[in-house]
Amino acid sequence: MEFKVSRAVFFDFDGTLVDSAKDLVECANLQRLKRNKEPLPFEYLKNFVSRGTPAMLKEAIGLLKEDPDYDLIREEYLTDYRERLTQNIRFFDGIPEMLEDLDNKRIPWGIVTNKPSNLTIPLLNFLNLTHRVISSTYGDSAPKSKPHPDTIFLACDQASVNPSNCIYVGDDQRDIEAGKAAGMKTIILTYGYCPEPEMIPEWGADFIAHTPAEITVGIDKLFK
């Protein structure tokens, strides 16, 4: 393969670039309300946003993937989410400036998320990111999503960049596992939705960023 880009940075989406927790937590609690259960605290449920729909439904109503009604309830949950997809989503403070810094330095960047394409693409359009990313892949872009590296490799193929010259940035352990499996340097964030922040140092990321401004510091350091 001919590499046309010398280096790039790839980001997870929810809990890394954007704060989407409010809408997702409200939809999880709606499932509880349908079962006459009191809503769970936002500060508790938000910790599972980065781990996707299965984790949210397990924590909210004890639903497991093996349960016979899992697919039906999952679709109910996602339908509720689609209806309020852009209602409360926002960039974390400092993210627009961090991305602008990458653009100014002419460092290409893209998105690799486990969020399905039919939910992510409308958000990329809403946030005016579609034409800024060098590539983007989703949870349904490859047979296996993170922590497997398949979607990261696909994003690199789309960008014509060697994974070994790239950095992956995320807020969950599986982000670091996927980035390392792809041969990338990795940056873990502490401001995202990790339910076990005390475990972060054990995940073996190459840099720990506590704020979006520190992502810039990490990128500069890892690209030296």
Side-chain angles (χ1 to χ4, degrees):
M1 177 180 175
E2 180 182 354
F3 297 118
K4 298 179 181 178
V5 176
S6 61
R7 59 183 182 174
V9 180
F10 293 94
F11 295 94
D12 177 45
F13 192 60
D14 299 88
T16 297
L17 296 181
V18 299
D19 185 357
S20 54
K22 184 170 173 50
D23 294 323
L24 288 162
V25 167
E26 285 180 357
C27 291
N29 272 326
L30 184 56
Q31 288 295 322
R32 289 183 61 83
L33 292 174
K34 289 177 181 179
R35 291 159 178 79
N36 297 315
K37 295 183 177 182
E38 291 292 322
L40 289 173
F42 171 80
E43 291 299 326
Y44 173 75
L45 273 184
K46 77 167 187 176
N47 292 323
F48 301 93
V49 166
S50 286
R51 298 188 177 179
T53 297
M56 292 295 286
L57 291 175
K58 178 182 177 182
E59 295 303 319
I61 58 174
L63 186 71
L64 302 177
K65 278 186 173 182
E66 307 82 58
D67 292 340
D69 52 353
Y70 175 82
D71 289 339
L72 176 62
I73 295 173
R74 174 183 179 275
E75 189 52 41
E76 284 182 5
Y77 169 78
L78 292 176
T79 297
D80 291 334
Y81 179 50
R82 286 187 201 101
E83 291 176 355
R84 65 188 77 193
L85 192 61
T86 61
Q87 204 164 299
N88 294 291
I89 195 164
R90 66 176 187 89
F91 287 111
F92 285 106
D93 292 341
I95 289 296
E97 293 81 3
M98 184 271 297
L99 295 178
E100 185 175 355
D101 181 72
L102 289 178
D103 291 340
N104 291 338
K105 293 174 180 173
R106 298 191 175 183
I107 298 175
W109 55 274
I111 291 171
V112 178
T113 175
N114 277 5
K115 203 183 196 83
S117 57
N118 67 341
L119 297 177
T120 311
I121 293 173
L123 289 174
L124 297 183
N125 292 333
F126 177 76
L127 296 167
N128 296 314
L129 295 179
T130 307
H131 299 295
R132 295 180 65 186
V133 295
I134 192 171
S135 64
S136 55
T137 57
Y138 319 103
D140 51 356
S141 295
K144 293 180 180 179
S145 56
K146 298 179 295 182
H148 298 278
D150 295 13
T151 51
I152 292 183
F153 284 137
L154 179 59
C156 290
D157 287 344
Q158 292 175 356
S160 298
V161 63
N162 189 330
S164 65
N165 295 332
C166 296
I167 297 170
Y168 190 66
V169 185
D171 69 308
D172 190 75
Q173 183 177 8
R174 63 183 177 181
D175 296 324
I176 303 308
E177 291 176 359
K180 290 167 75 72
M184 292 185 176
K185 298 291 187 181
T186 57
I187 297 176
I188 186 69
L189 311 175
T190 63
Y191 63 78
Y193 303 141
C194 176
E196 302 163 332
E198 71 279 0
M199 300 297 294
I200 286 176
E202 298 184 17
W203 296 345
D206 296 288
F207 190 86
I208 298 176
H210 303 289
T211 66
E214 290 185 9
I215 297 175
T216 301
V217 175
I219 291 171
D220 290 344
K221 178 180 178 181
L222 297 177
F223 272 154
K224 279 186 178 179

